[in-house]
């Protein structure tokens, strides 16, 4: 079921997911949640380094990184040179946000690796997932129309003009792959490099090319 895409709610923002039918419904709520959550954080564990930018313990932020409010970066995360957090971004614990990575209006769960030349727009990346170098999570259709999720013969209207990808836990996306707007990848799935990904990719899969998907054993 698409309602159960996210299985490990290991994020400081897990309350956002309690009263929604589908995970993408939280995307328009990220900004408000950051401000509300940030103002309630433990001041001994989180420092507000600028208005509506909260940083957890042992976070490393390179001087060449750019962070636009509102934003929360949880503990033990590293933000490397050239990273551009464009606002409305929640980064989890023990993450790596690498050089020349751009993220906007997205939630990155704990233990994620987004280390090299990635674009993540209007997306959710689940626990312990990884994007290889150059992976792009596209968030806008060419015709600028709203995004529809097609699944099991149904057309689910998101009512969103901008939506990137919803990625579950333990997903690995190979270098230079492009995820089309509205892509959903379920848990424990691997995507080969240089693959164009669209639609819903079922859990425990290996996607070798645009039209070759095989099953794999669960971790």
């Amino acid at each position: 079921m698409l309602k159960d895409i996210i299985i490990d709610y290991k994020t400081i923002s897990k309350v956002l997911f309690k009263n929604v039918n589908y995970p993408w419904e939280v995307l328009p709520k990220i900004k408000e949640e950051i401000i509300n959550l940030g103002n309630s954080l433990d001041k001994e564990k989180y420092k507000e380094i600028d208005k509506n930018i909260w940083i957890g313990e042992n976070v490393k932020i390179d001087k060449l990184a750019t962070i636009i409010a509102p934003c929360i970066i949880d503990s033990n995360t590293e933000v490397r040179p050239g990273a551009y957090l464009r606002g409305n971004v929640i980064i989890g614990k023990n993450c790596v946000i690498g050089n020349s990575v751009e993220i906007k209006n997205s939630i990155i769960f704990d233990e994620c690796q987004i280390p090299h030349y990635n674009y993540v727009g209007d997306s959710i990346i689940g626990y312990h997932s990884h994007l290889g170098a150059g992976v792009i999570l596209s968030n806008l259709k060419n015709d600028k129309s709203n995004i529809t999720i097609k699944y099991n013969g149904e057309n689910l209207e998101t009512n969103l003009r901008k939506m990137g990808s919803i990625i579950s836990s333990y997903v690995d996306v190979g270098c230079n792959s492009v995820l089309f707007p509205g892509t959903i990848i379920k848990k424990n799935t691997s995507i080969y490099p240089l693959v164009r990904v669209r639609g819903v990719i079922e859990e425990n899969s290996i996607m070798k090319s645009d039209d070759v998907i095989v099953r794999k054993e669960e971790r």
Side-chain angles (χ1 to χ4, degrees):
M1 294 177 61
L2 290 186
K3 295 181 180 181
D4 302 320
I5 301 163
I6 306 295
I7 56 168
D8 294 303
Y9 287 96
K10 296 183 179 179
T11 170
I12 195 171
S13 60
K14 61 184 177 182
V15 67
L16 259 180
F17 296 87
K18 286 186 175 180
N19 297 313
V20 297
N21 290 318
Y22 299 102
W24 56 80
E25 294 173 12
V26 311
L27 294 175
K29 304 176 182 180
I30 293 175
K31 180 177 181 178
E32 182 180 2
E33 170 65 11
I34 293 174
I35 295 171
N36 291 338
L37 179 58
N39 287 321
S40 67
L41 291 172
D42 185 339
K43 301 302 186 291
E44 294 185 2
K45 295 182 178 180
Y46 295 87
K47 181 179 180 181
E48 189 176 10
I49 63 170
D50 204 342
K51 185 174 177 58
N52 294 328
I53 299 176
W54 291 272
I55 306 300
E57 296 177 306
N58 302 314
V59 170
K60 297 179 181 178
I61 301 175
D62 189 90
K63 63 182 180 181
L64 297 178
T66 300
I67 303 174
I68 306 298
C71 180
I72 295 174
I73 303 175
D74 215 338
S75 58
N76 301 306
T77 281
E78 181 179 0
V79 181
R80 293 175 177 169
Y84 181 25
L85 307 184
R86 278 178 52 194
N88 305 340
V89 173
I90 299 173
I91 308 291
K93 296 179 173 67
N94 304 305
C95 292
V96 172
I97 308 300
N99 59 299
S100 302
V101 170
E102 180 178 345
I103 304 176
K104 56 90 66 172
N105 197 58
S106 296
I107 300 175
I108 313 301
F109 282 33
D110 298 350
E111 306 283 349
C112 285
Q113 304 281 315
I114 309 175
H116 308 287
Y117 305 104
N118 307 108
Y119 176 72
V120 178
D122 301 279
S123 297
I124 298 167
I125 300 182
Y127 175 68
H128 217 294
S129 287
H130 170 262
L131 302 185
V135 170
I136 303 298
L137 275 55
S138 179
N139 64 337
L140 182 65
K141 294 169 63 175
N142 285 340
D143 64 4
K144 311 298 191 296
S145 62
N146 284 356
I147 292 163
T148 300
I149 309 296
K150 297 180 180 180
Y151 186 64
N152 284 346
E154 290 187 80
N155 289 332
L156 301 174
E157 300 294 339
T158 68
N159 298 312
L160 297 172
R161 192 172 68 93
K162 288 189 176 183
M163 175 187 165
S165 298
I166 308 295
I167 295 175
S168 189
S169 305
Y170 298 103
V171 170
D172 198 337
V173 183
C175 297
N176 292 316
S177 291
V178 176
L179 280 58
F180 286 29
T183 292
I184 293 172
I185 304 178
K186 295 187 180 182
K187 68 175 183 176
N188 193 32
T189 288
S190 297
I191 310 294
Y192 273 24
L194 298 171
V195 175
R196 297 178 300 174
V197 188
R198 68 191 310 166
V200 179
I201 311 303
E202 295 294 343
E203 64 186 48
N204 304 313
S205 296
I206 300 174
M207 188 172 188
K208 297 184 176 183
S209 66
D210 298 7
D211 56 0
V212 177
I213 301 175
V214 300
R215 299 285 292 171
K216 68 177 180 180
E217 295 182 359
E218 294 191 37
R219 294 187 179 184

